[in-house]
Amino acid sequence: IRYITNIILFTTFFGLVGIPMVSAQNIPPVIQAQITTELQRRGLNEQEVRARLLKEGIDFQNIPKADWPQYQAKVTAILDKMQAEKKAKEASTGTTAITTPLIIKQAKPDSAVAQPVAPVTTNGEAVASTAQRAIQAAAEKDSARIYGHSLFTNKTLAVFRTTDGAHAPDSYILGAGDVIRVTIFGASQADMEFTINKKGYIQPTNMPKIFLQGLTLREARNLLRKRLSTAYTFQPDQFALTITTARTIMINIYGEVKVSGGFTLSALNSAFNALTAAGGVTNIGSVRNIQLIRGNKRTTMDLYAFMNDPTVKDHFDLRENDIIYVPVAKKLVSVYGAVKRPMRYELLHNEGLKNLIRYAGGLKVNAYPNFVQIQRYVDGEVKLKEFDLSEVLSGKAKVKLQNGDIVRIKAIKQPLIQYVKITGNIYYPGQYALNTNPTLSKLLANAKPTTDAKTDLIFVDRTRPDETVEVLTIPWKKLQHSGKDFTLMPRDVVKVPSLVSYRDTDSISVNGYVRAPFAKSLALNDHLSIKQAIELAGGLKPSAFPVAYVFRKNLINPAKTEYIRVDLKNAANFMLQPGDRLNVYDNSTFTNVGEVQILGAVKKPVKFTFDPSLTIQGLITAAGGLNVGAAYNRVEVFRTDISHTEESRLKMITVEVDSSYKVVSPANFSLQPYDLVVVRLTPGFTLGRTVEISGEVNYPGAYSLTSKQIHVSNLIKMAGGLRNDADAKGSRLFRTYKNRGFITMDIAKAIENKGNTKFDPFLFNGDVINIDRRENIVSIRETATHMSDYPGTSNNGIMNIVFQGNKSARWYINNYAGGFKKRANKKSLVVILKNGQVKLTRRFMGFIYSYPKVETGSMISLQMKPPKEKRVGPKEKTDWAKIWGTTLTAITTALTLFVLI
């Protein structure tokens, strides 16, 4: 592409666009073809390129020729941009732009050559073509293409722009401009390349002229072999002639093609390849009557003939100024159904149904041979015609087809009926032909029952005409003995049962303390001795108890079970029957040894099976020893006195041990089965408890509690006391013990009331006290206040103001939040102190509110009253007398209180 772009830059854009310094007629034909091909590939034309270059400020008429190479990169970028813009436009509109090919006029030779023109159409042909287009209107809307159209778009007929990738056939006709290569590899060796000049000959060194123009490649090979044998020594098979570069020719394509006009192509292309360069034929274009026009001679091209014999294309070589004309298809017929390639086909006027079936690939194996249907338009009506397909294929009946016919070939839908099927215990199940297996004996002989087949009774499922199924039981053995047979009917299903499904079995199992427990299925009349069963189980384990039990199931009534005690040593010949379960037990489960356990201040609580040799010292040692803080004089042993006749009693024995864990007292103490040993800690033992204090104290950090009686005030004193800006009332205590979390308290009162647990609580291990810094502010939430009526007064619905003294919450709302809203619920007004304490609004006498006092760091909030519910039913009359009486009573009471105060 870079090479061709350079050619365009230094020829087309500097010559063809109108620059007089380069003559377009002096451009070699090969370069002309490359220019045309490149412009077509990019989808551009001369006028577009010329206008775009001027728009981008490139005017080669005013640029010195020596400076042209400097514009190479810029012009290439413009070409790429133009190509991308055109593709984007096509994608957005859903259409494909058709660019008229660039036709370069050749310089006139010595003898004038007639210029190619479109074929002349007579009046009759024009009328027929117009009528045909009207008939094909539906075909244009049909998405199905005519058979053969795809060959021009699926690269089957790729066009050759140059010699690369093409191989010249022996029928190729040589002409001026062809570059040939002669290779001799015999006694004499030579490798020569010649270009056939305009006069049609080549002239090897020291040899006369050899005229090749007009000869085929095969004829030229024979001629050159004969002529060069006078100057070189070689055998006939030591000579080769090939086309190095084929000449380019100008052809014209018109009619029903995607792109019509002039095309410059390699002469290696056939007329079929040239149609690919034009984008192939349109949806209504003919593939059977393509015209190749050469002067006054017309040759008809049939694409179907090429598809049957690809060598046909060699008969349609191209010459300079050839014309290819694609008319409208005149006879289109569609075929559907049981053919291998159902679609639309173009037929010639003398071709009928038999030809159509052949073009469609022939019939499918399931085609119905006695019926074919043709749908035809006759006098504006749709009519159906039906024929015997077998007669058509044999040639007895010749069926002509018309344009627009639709042929339907039916597929066989009749299900398989004349068959029988056999399943069950046979070697070869499946379907069999009824005519060769009319009886049950014949069918069984072919299907071959297996060795476990039950053939005394055989079942046959017989389908009635109403598709219900009748089950027949055939006593096959009785029929065989009597010499009779059973006749089968269409679609009979024979089922041969298995002996396995009729057997009566149950299992014998051995479980427990054997090496390989198992379960084995046996027939009901089979038995197994205990000795055999234990041997099958790998023998008894060493700890097996000598007495086992057999759980025997009643086979007639499985809900009943018999338990049989068996002495394994003396009952070796005891017979087990199907359904029995032999359980062998562990000897240790029958020994009352008991357990001893140790808990408490030991490193690893353990449990042991009692042994008389086990001591307190050994038990503590096995538990990893005593923990730090363990009370050596407080080892408690809880002992259970077990009696077989009286109530069990639990007693505690206190044992003291020395540093080596030997018992000091009581003397001669020994453990007994089921003893529980618990080691206690010394009273008040602790490894140290820590608390933490942070914030506004003089010495924040962690502190160790020397006892359990350390108060909050003690910790603050150990931390050097509070700083001047500490907020004692707003600080809180955080307790990790049992995940208590924050504990509301007043640090200031704790300091004032030292040692009083009501105000000064004890500290626990892990407590954290954070002394905040005094901010000296009060916060008000805007809910139910007029604060929201004044934008910018709050931050996320909260107003923060400087503490104005120990005034009521109502005073702060009236002076800073715009007062209460109409439906504000004044009773819900609360003051939340910084330490978490909540102060509520009190109400006296039903209408007098006592609002809480505000302290520094407080949050004031209240809520709106819920909306009133709509009254349903008639409105009650107001009892004004009662209301005025109550009001006067209240006023009198208030005045009396006022006077007393």
Side-chain angles (χ1 to χ4, degrees), residues 149-200:
H149 282 182
S150 61
L151 265 69
F152 299 110
T153 56
N154 63 3
K155 299 183 180 179
T156 302
L157 293 170
V159 62
F160 300 108
R161 302 294 182 184
T162 64
T163 309
D164 296 340
H167 175 70
D170 287 346
S171 60
Y172 177 75
I173 298 177
L174 297 173
D178 284 337
V179 180
I180 62 174
R181 182 176 182 179
V182 178
T183 304
I184 299 172
F185 43 90
S188 301
Q189 296 188 2
D191 190 2
M192 299 169 284
E193 191 171 83
F194 304 97
T195 301
I196 302 176
N197 60 22
K198 294 182 179 180
K199 296 183 178 180

Side-chain angles (χ1 to χ4, degrees), residues 681-727:
L681 287 171
T682 56
F685 174 79
T686 179
L687 291 176
R689 296 176 300 127
T690 59
V691 293
E692 184 178 352
I693 186 170
S694 61
E696 301 303 313
V697 292
N698 290 315
Y699 303 103
Y703 289 85
S704 180
L705 301 179
T706 56
S707 70
K708 294 183 179 180
Q709 304 297 321
I710 301 298
H711 295 269
V712 171
S713 59
N714 300 130
L715 179 61
I716 293 175
K717 183 178 180 181
M718 287 188 286
L722 301 179
R723 294 181 180 177
N724 294 333
D725 57 351
D727 186 3

